[in-house]
Amino acid sequence: MHTATLIADSGSTKTEWCLLFEGRKKTVFTQGISPYFMDSDGIDAVLRKELLPKIKNKTISGLFYYGTGCANPENAKMIKAVLKGLFPEAKVSVDTDLMAAARAGCGHEKGIACILGTGSNSCYYNGSKIKKNSPGLGYVLGDEGSGAYLGKKVVQYYLYGTFDEDLRSRFDATFTTSAVEILENVYRKPLPNRYLSSFTPFLAENRGHYMIENIIEDGLNDFFFTHLNKYAEVWKYPVHFVGGVAWGFRDVLQELCSSYGFDAGNIYKNPMQGLINYHKDDVGQ
């Protein structure tokens, strides 16, 4: 048996686990873990099925878990209990996905850290702690600039008949769905935020069309105007971004930073390598 350190970056759509042992690393992906949509039994079942078989024969001594929904103390407590049950010998730390973005993007320096993935969030990080956080209202009331937010715009343009004939035919060829099916998935089936986010790749695949560019620019500008614009520190320190949406539309983010007078910092598809660097003293790497 070998002792190892485990770092987890969990979003609504997927969770990336990085196992660090003997100077090596192994990456495992499982489905997303959202405590707002899953109870402790559901989380336990997912990890027993999708994670444990892939890291067998390793005794986990330290576990750093960063996840969506963990700003809620009850959610964090539930996830920590599940992890302690699965890894009884590990020292378990549970923190927010926003802290993961802050540590990955800013390291030990001051800055603004943003998540633009299935959901969205932002904060001012002073080099060690999150000092300010713009309210995150979730995909129904907020999540400006997120995959769910942009995907919702795609669906609206399609259902309202706003897309021109060319884009409508491209949409039909890509998704082969219907208004009835879309509404069923949004209002009656589980994980509607993840479902809405699944329409965001359509934007990346059809760049150049003015309607597509408008959706991307307007959606990301809503994030800048609603959230980033309200941090006094945003004009003093770099703005860092993490997430699939941030990475996919990084050119638009850089243009928006320029137009707002912000200093664009790091833009990562995911925070894992930054977290490995941050925790290098903890894992002896």
Side-chain angles (χ1 to χ4, degrees), residues 12-13 31-32 34 36-38 118 139 185-186 188-197:
S12 298
T13 304
Q31 66 176 272
S34 175
Y36 288 113
F37 298 117
M38 304 168 72
T118 301
Y139 79 99
N185 276 281
V186 170
R188 294 192 174 182
K189 291 191 177 180
L191 305 175
N193 62 327
R194 197 181 298 180
Y195 173 75
L196 287 169
S197 189

Side-chain angles (χ1 to χ4, degrees), residues 18-273:
C18 187
L19 185 70
L20 302 168
F21 61 101
E22 299 175 346
R24 292 181 288 166
K25 66 179 181 179
K26 178 180 180 179
T27 301
V28 175
F29 289 95
T30 67
Q31 66 176 272
I33 296 172
S34 175
Y36 288 113
F37 298 117
M38 304 168 72
D39 60 17
S40 58
D41 289 340
I43 296 170
D44 182 86
V46 166
L47 298 185
R48 287 184 184 277
K49 178 182 179 182
E50 300 182 19
L51 176 65
L52 294 190
K54 297 177 181 178
I55 60 171
K56 57 187 177 181
N57 301 324
K58 296 291 187 299
T59 299
I60 306 302
S61 58
L63 200 167
F64 301 95
Y65 179 96
Y66 298 89
T68 185
C70 290
N72 181 309
E74 289 302 311
N75 289 345
K77 182 179 178 181
M78 176 184 73
I79 289 177
K80 187 170 186 176
V82 172
L83 294 173
K84 284 295 290 183
L86 295 172
F87 305 103
E89 298 180 40
K91 180 180 179 182
V92 177
S93 170
V94 175
D95 220 316
T96 65
D97 53 350
L98 190 57
M99 181 61 87
R103 288 175 172 173
C106 306
H108 296 281
E109 304 296 325
K110 295 178 179 179
I112 305 295
C114 310
I115 296 174
L116 290 175
T118 301
S120 68
N121 208 339
S122 65
C123 70
Y124 165 59
Y125 176 74
N126 73 352
S128 60
K129 295 180 180 179
I130 292 173
K131 302 300 289 184
K132 296 180 182 179
N133 175 216
S134 186
L137 303 179
Y139 79 99
V140 175
L141 296 177
D143 270 357
E144 291 83 4
S146 70
Y149 191 82
L150 296 175
K152 181 163 60 176
K153 293 295 183 184
V154 171
V155 170
Q156 287 175 341
Y157 272 53
Y158 176 73
L159 295 179
Y160 285 148
T162 305
F163 279 152
D164 60 21
E165 187 176 339
D166 177 36
L167 280 180
R168 187 171 186 85
S169 65
R170 293 189 204 180
F171 183 98
D172 287 332
T174 302
F175 297 107
T176 59
T177 187
S178 66
V180 171
E181 185 178 45
I182 291 171
L183 295 175
E184 178 78 12
N185 276 281
V186 170
Y187 291 108
R188 294 192 174 182
K189 291 191 177 180
L191 305 175
N193 62 327
R194 197 181 298 180
Y195 173 75
L196 287 169
S197 189
S198 72
F199 291 95
T200 300
F202 182 76
L203 296 171
E205 293 160 5
N206 292 281
R207 293 293 303 269
H209 191 290
Y210 77 95
M211 286 189 182
I212 297 296
E213 296 300 323
N214 284 346
I215 291 174
I216 297 168
E217 291 168 14
D218 290 349
L220 294 177
N221 184 66
D222 286 347
F223 177 77
F224 274 65
F225 180 80
T226 305
H227 300 287
L228 298 188
N229 215 26
K230 295 177 181 175
Y231 295 105
E233 297 82 3
V234 77
W235 285 277
K236 300 178 184 177
Y237 306 111
V239 184
H240 307 281
F241 299 90
V242 169
V245 170
W247 180 251
F249 304 124
R250 55 193 180 279
D251 60 318
V252 181
L253 291 179
Q254 289 166 338
E255 289 172 5
L256 283 169
C257 280
S258 178
S259 65
Y260 274 84
F262 303 160
D263 178 15
N266 299 311
I267 302 178
Y268 297 133
K269 187 173 184 179
N270 63 67
M272 184 55 75
Q273 187 55 53

